[in-house]
């Protein structure tokens, strides 16, 4: 069984600042670091760290060989990552002492996905495999349409939130994942009663979150930790949730595992490189029991 991810690949520039900058304010950063990021790359790494076989479908620029190499080193199949003429995407991330962040993304190669390459990748899938999507690439609608026709489960992380894109993808989505802010944005954009996805998961940060299914509402708690950097926490949650569901865990157990992985992630600085492996997450859960 394989988890496919059509997703973004970024070079993250992370700046540690005394507080998030206000409009017109100039700050001196305490530190600067770079690393692999992007919602898609983060989710692929998280799923791979959770133990899934992951195939990433994406694009980098002529300057992006390092990103492909790093994804491969972190356990992701990079066969379907193409080099295009646009520069590799990058993100400017400021992180305050409480771990909160503000992020600006230049999409670059992420929005230069090829339909031909996408089809070539997904046609290697088998019925029952899973496709992960976010809103940081082009061709998400085409990917979801093809995935459904091939019998794949479609998991859609509707971020960065875009109302029209999300409404278009909802009928093709089996599992929808949003944070609390995105859920409010979706509620304003459309009637959320009876939405097409069979499962809707809403994360609420330190409060945990909840899942909505035909059986009702299921809450899951967060784990109390000291946050150093919340960047990539939601992606870690999503990747782990996808992997756990794909291996046959119940929704409740999968949510529990994903929440633990996300909690561990925020105790470390960085994005993809800071996503914890499955053994570390299971040891953390055992310590919490």
């Amino acid at each position: 069984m394989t988890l496919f991810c059509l997703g973004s690949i970024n070079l993250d520039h992370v700046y540690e600042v005394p507080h998030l900058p206000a409009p017109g304010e100039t700050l001196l950063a305490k530190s600067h670091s770079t690393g692999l990021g992007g919602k898609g790359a983060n989710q692929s790494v998280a799923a791979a760290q959770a133990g899934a076989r992951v195939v990433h479908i994406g694009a980098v620029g002529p300057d992006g060989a390092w990103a492909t190499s790093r994804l491969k080193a972190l356990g992701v199949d990079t066969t379907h990552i193409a080099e295009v003429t646009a520069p590799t995407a990058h993100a400017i991330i400021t992180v305050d002492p409480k771990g909160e962040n503000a992020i600006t993304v230049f999409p670059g190669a992420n929005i230069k996905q090829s339909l031909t390459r996408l089809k070539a990748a997904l046609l290697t899938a088998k019925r029952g495999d899973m496709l992960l999507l976010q809103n940081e690439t082009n061709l998400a609608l085409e990917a979801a349409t093809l995935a459904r026709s091939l019998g794949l489960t479609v998991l859609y992380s509707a971020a960065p939130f875009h109302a029209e894109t999300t409404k278009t993808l909802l009928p093709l989505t089996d599992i929808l994942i949003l944070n609390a802010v995105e859920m409010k944005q979706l509620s304003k954009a459309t009637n959320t009663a009876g939405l097409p996805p069979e499962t809707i998961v809403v994360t609420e940060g330190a409060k945990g979150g909840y899942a909505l299914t035909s059986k009702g509402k299921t809450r899951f708690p967060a784990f109390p930790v000291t946050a150093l950097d919340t960047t990539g926490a939601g992606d870690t949650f999503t990747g782990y949730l996808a992997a756990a569901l794909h291996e046959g865990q119940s929704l409740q157990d999968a949510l529990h595992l994903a929440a633990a992985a996300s909690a561990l992630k925020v105790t470390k600085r960085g994005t993809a490189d800071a996503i914890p492996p499955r053994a570390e997450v299971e040891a953390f859960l055992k310590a919490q029991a």
Side-chain angles (χ1 to χ4, degrees), residues 8-14 33-50 56 66-76 91 93 103 229-237 240 261 264-266 268-277 280:
S8 53
I9 302 170
N10 295 352
L11 168 62
D12 283 353
H13 290 269
V14 183
S33 61
T34 59
L36 176 66
K39 298 192 73 63
N42 295 340
Q43 291 177 13
S44 282
V45 169
Q49 294 287 66
H56 192 93
W66 67 271
T68 303
S69 296
R70 189 62 191 136
L71 275 166
K72 189 173 183 178
L74 289 167
V76 177
I93 305 170
I103 304 174
D229 184 356
T230 58
T231 311
D235 299 328
T236 300
F237 178 94
Y240 259 84
L264 272 179
K265 161 61 200 74
V266 305
K268 304 176 181 181
R269 300 192 190 279
T271 42
D273 292 299
I275 294 171
E280 187 177 336

Side-chain angles (χ1 to χ4, degrees), residues 245-277:
L245 291 174
H246 201 44
E247 69 184 35
Q249 288 197 27
S250 69
L251 178 59
Q252 188 66 62
D253 288 345
L255 290 167
H256 191 61
L257 179 70
S262 181
L264 272 179
K265 161 61 200 74
V266 305
T267 66
K268 304 176 181 181
R269 300 192 190 279
T271 42
D273 292 299
I275 294 171

Side-chain angles (χ1 to χ4, degrees), residues 208-228:
Y210 60 91
L212 300 173
T213 68
S214 59
K215 296 180 181 179
K217 185 175 183 178
T218 302
R219 289 206 62 88
F220 60 90
F223 292 87
V225 294
T226 300
L228 292 180

